[in-house]
Amino acid sequence: MRRQELLRVRGRSVAWLPPLLLLVAIAVADYHTIGEFRMISWIVLVPAIAASICGVRGTALFAVLSLVTYVVADSAWPHEYRAGRADFVLVALGGILATLACAIRVRDERRALHMGDVTDTIRRTVLRPLPDGWGGLDHAGVYLTADAHARVGGDFYDIQPGPHGTRVLVGDVQGKGLGAVEAAAALLGTFREAAYHEADLATVAERLETRMTRHRGHTVALGRSDGDRFATAVLLAFPDDDQEAVDVLLFGHEPPLAVGRGGVRTLSAGAGLPLGFRGLAPGPAEIRRWRISGDETLLLVTDGVTETRDGTGAFYPLADELARAVAEDPGTAGPARLAAFVRDGTLRHGGGHLVDDTTVFAVRRRARCEAPEGGRSRP
């Protein structure tokens, strides 16, 4: 179906043109050559080509046209080589098989398009589209899966504005496959509710930990083998009452980087354990507040960036590359340019090969008079 979309001129399909030109060329060649030109060796290609680019009815039509053309050409020049009944049967059989092959191709393409639509729906559910300025933040995200055919994996991110400020979550579920997607969806669902309703960021963290534990228990009860999953994450909070502050809480994840005209600095916090491991070290999560300037963008990445290696085995030097780029062009610190820079640098460093799902998410406060919060204009 999408092949036919590509074979269009001014909005009209021209998928029928290649097999028709081939059919005409075969007939002309047969007319201008003598008996050594075996038309049957070529005319069976016409329905075969039609089967690869046309629909079922178009392929069936070319199968009939090929047989008619063969019969007419064979009868028009009686002094040349005359085909036997077996040749006619072969042309007819070739057309039938081409039509059947086309029907299978169209069915598989429709199924693939349907599965693509389902996958896109899952991706929009897990990684919902974020409006510009959502929660008072300028943001830009890049999401790349290690599997070139997949559209969603275990990485996740979101922004949730609410009455207690705007919260941001970026994380990475251990493992791959649908199990990782399920865990990411469970954590994001909890984050969207807790980040809106809970005033205390530590309570949001506790809710995330509880959700991960419950999800693991559910998978174990189902008898699945992925009941030991965990997730690393970084949780940020932008309080409404302090425009130059951000609270950082880490769950075994890489700390965010503050990138601005002054360079690159790491906003560290307590190391923290990944979500799902709180039982190993009970107690409240450590939250650290940092001061950020208006021109600084916070960069959050998953290990698909930090663990990318080049041909020599060296890791991608993210902080050094960012410092060099910002020194040369301070505009690189903007969220969109920053996310694109890290994406390109990661792919270049890894030679275009990703060993893990890769997420790059950049956020920066908007000027207070410009930033909408949860669909409401701010004073």
Side-chain angles (χ1 to χ4, degrees):
M1 294 171 68
R2 287 186 174 174
R3 288 193 186 97
Q4 295 183 39
E5 292 179 3
L6 296 175
L7 295 171
R8 286 183 176 273
V9 175
R10 296 182 179 180
R12 294 191 174 187
S13 174
V14 293
W16 51 270
L17 192 56
L20 179 61
L21 291 177
L22 178 61
L23 183 61
V24 173
I26 292 172
V28 172
D30 184 67
Y31 177 76
H32 289 285
T33 56
I34 55 177
E36 67 267 13
F37 181 80
R38 296 299 305 277
M39 189 178 185
I40 190 173
S41 302
W42 296 92
I43 204 164
V44 292
L45 294 177
V46 174
I49 292 175
S52 65
I53 58 177
C54 297
V56 177
R57 287 184 296 180
T59 302
L61 177 61
F62 277 108
V64 173
L65 285 177
S66 298
L67 184 60
V68 171
T69 301
Y70 190 70
V71 172
V72 171
D74 187 67
S75 303
W77 303 290
H79 58 283
E80 301 290 352
Y81 172 81
R82 302 298 298 275
R85 181 176 299 177
D87 289 344
F88 292 111
V89 172
L90 183 60
V91 175
L93 183 60
I96 293 172
L97 292 177
T99 304
L100 292 175
C102 180
I104 295 173
R105 190 210 88 212
V106 170
R107 182 199 64 186
D108 290 344
E109 286 185 350
R110 285 175 176 167
R111 182 179 299 170
L113 289 174
H114 176 68
M115 293 303 299
D117 291 339
V118 171
T119 304
D120 288 339
T121 301
I122 294 174
R123 175 164 179 156
R124 288 194 299 269
T125 301
V126 177
L127 300 176
R128 60 179 180 176
L130 298 174
D132 292 339
W134 185 239
L137 302 177
D138 286 322
H139 57 83
V142 172
Y143 188 91
L144 303 173
T145 57
D147 183 354
H149 300 288
R151 291 183 173 91
V152 64
D155 287 4
F156 56 91
Y157 61 84
D158 201 5
I159 298 174
Q160 181 58 58
H164 310 293
T166 298
R167 277 76 183 264
V168 176
L169 179 68
V170 174
D172 179 10
V173 175
Q174 171 265 336
K176 296 180 174 63
L178 292 178
V181 177
E182 287 178 339
L187 289 172
L188 284 172
T190 297
F191 167 73
R192 289 161 186 164
E193 292 301 310
Y196 181 87
H197 291 288
E198 302 294 345
D200 187 4
L201 192 63
T203 304
V204 178
E206 187 63 34
R207 294 275 299 276
L208 290 170
E209 174 67 26
T210 301
R211 186 68 184 94
M212 191 70 215
T213 303
R214 290 175 56 206
H215 179 76
R216 289 168 58 172
H218 180 255
T219 56
V220 170
L222 290 174
R224 287 168 35 180
S225 60
D226 57 345
D228 58 349
R229 287 191 189 275
F230 60 88
T232 65
V234 54
L235 180 61
L236 304 181
F238 294 85
D240 283 339
D241 57 358
D242 191 343
Q243 292 294 298
E244 295 184 352
V246 63
D247 296 325
V248 180
L249 195 158
L250 299 178
F251 302 96
H253 199 85
E254 290 285 337
L257 299 177
V259 184
R261 296 177 182 275
V264 180
R265 57 194 179 106
T266 302
L267 306 187
S268 60
L273 292 175
L275 294 169
F277 288 160
R278 177 66 62 82
L280 300 179
E286 181 181 344
I287 302 172
R288 181 169 180 180
R289 174 161 290 193
W290 288 86
R291 311 303 298 177
I292 54 174
S293 61
D295 69 338
E296 283 187 307
T297 298
L298 301 188
L299 177 68
L300 305 99
V301 300
T302 59
D303 56 8
V305 175
T306 57
E307 295 183 3
T308 295
R309 298 174 182 262
D310 61 11
T312 65
F315 290 112
Y316 177 50
L318 175 61
D320 293 341
E321 290 289 323
L322 288 175
R324 186 181 307 111
V326 172
E328 295 174 356
D329 181 6
T332 305
R337 290 186 58 184
L338 185 61
F341 176 84
V342 176
R343 174 201 63 199
D344 295 343
T346 301
L347 292 172
R348 183 170 55 251
H349 189 79
H353 176 66
L354 297 175
V355 297
D356 198 359
D357 295 339
T358 300
T359 295
V360 182
F361 197 59
V363 294
R364 180 168 67 184
R365 280 190 186 270
R366 279 191 167 185
R368 190 172 179 83
C369 61
E370 299 176 359
E373 179 182 354
R376 297 172 295 171
S377 60
R378 301 177 65 158

